[in-house]
Amino acid sequence: MRMFGQVGTRDGDGAGGTVTDEGSGVVLRVAGEADLDTAAELFRGYLDFYEVTVQDAGAPREFLAERIAKGESLVLLADAPGVPGTVGFAQVYQAFSSLTLSTAWILNDLYVAPAGRRTGAGRALLREVQRRAREAGVAGVQLETAYDNHVAQGLYESEGFVREEFHVYFHDLG
């Protein structure tokens, strides 16, 4: 089932696959098969940031390739003006909210490489996820971050995200 296969994309004239964030000049695009190496490099940076050890160096690329091929996630990439290469990525999954009886999106991953920080790339990715969610008729976007990631928390709260009063639990079955 392709969850994100029908999510609209646009370019400067509203028809193609890229959009430029007006405030920062950051160019955003939906990652496709041709972007897998770039997206995987950023994904590895994200995993390193959260101190996740990956035994197989190719696993992040394979994971993204499968999600994209099956339409199970929306992966956005960001290019910042004046910074070489792609500097950020976001990965979104579709979920369902029993409490609202509707669809919700989970912004599972948002990462900007050190060279792209303070360029507006993170904010542009976050805003594009929200724009696409509204366009898709989604009830809301949920995310989580580490307790000590105060920079990310500040960004999320400045963009209207509200800290919920729920505790997140996880039971590792591996």
Side-chain angles (χ1 to χ4, degrees):
M1 181 165 83
R2 299 184 64 82
M3 291 186 238
F4 288 100
Q6 299 303 314
V7 175
T9 61
R10 62 186 175 119
D11 61 15
D13 67 2
T18 64
V19 61
T20 301
D21 179 73
E22 293 178 19
S24 64
V26 171
V27 176
L28 304 160
R29 69 184 183 280
V30 175
E33 190 175 330
D35 297 300
L36 281 172
D37 290 335
T38 299
E41 182 179 336
L42 290 162
F43 191 30
R44 281 190 291 275
Y46 172 80
L47 294 170
D48 289 346
F49 179 83
Y50 280 106
E51 300 176 354
V52 174
T53 303
V54 177
Q55 301 300 324
D56 177 0
R61 186 184 192 284
E62 292 170 19
F63 181 86
L64 287 175
E66 186 173 351
R67 301 291 74 72
I68 291 170
K70 291 182 175 180
E72 295 173 342
S73 72
L74 169 66
V75 178
L76 298 173
L77 299 174
D79 297 309
V83 182
T86 301
V87 300
F89 94 107
Q91 181 164 219
V92 180
Y93 299 114
Q94 180 174 297
F96 300 95
S97 170
S98 299
L99 298 179
T100 64
L101 304 176
S102 62
T103 304
W105 281 7
I106 298 173
L107 175 52
N108 206 71
D109 313 310
L110 177 67
Y111 176 75
V112 177
R117 294 182 185 155
R118 306 199 72 66
T119 63
R123 186 174 305 278
L125 284 162
L126 189 58
R127 286 180 176 173
E128 184 64 6
V129 167
Q130 292 178 86
R131 183 193 71 77
R132 288 171 179 273
R134 273 194 235 39
E135 190 175 274
V138 172
V141 177
Q142 177 182 333
L143 57 81
E144 59 186 59
T145 192
Y147 286 113
D148 63 350
N149 193 346
H150 302 291
V151 172
Q153 292 168 28
L155 170 63
Y156 302 145
E157 290 171 11
S158 74
E159 289 296 320
F161 283 80
V162 177
R163 187 182 315 242
E164 292 188 333
E165 297 299 322
F166 291 92
H167 289 281
V168 176
Y169 291 88
F170 182 78
H171 187 280
D172 190 345
L173 298 175

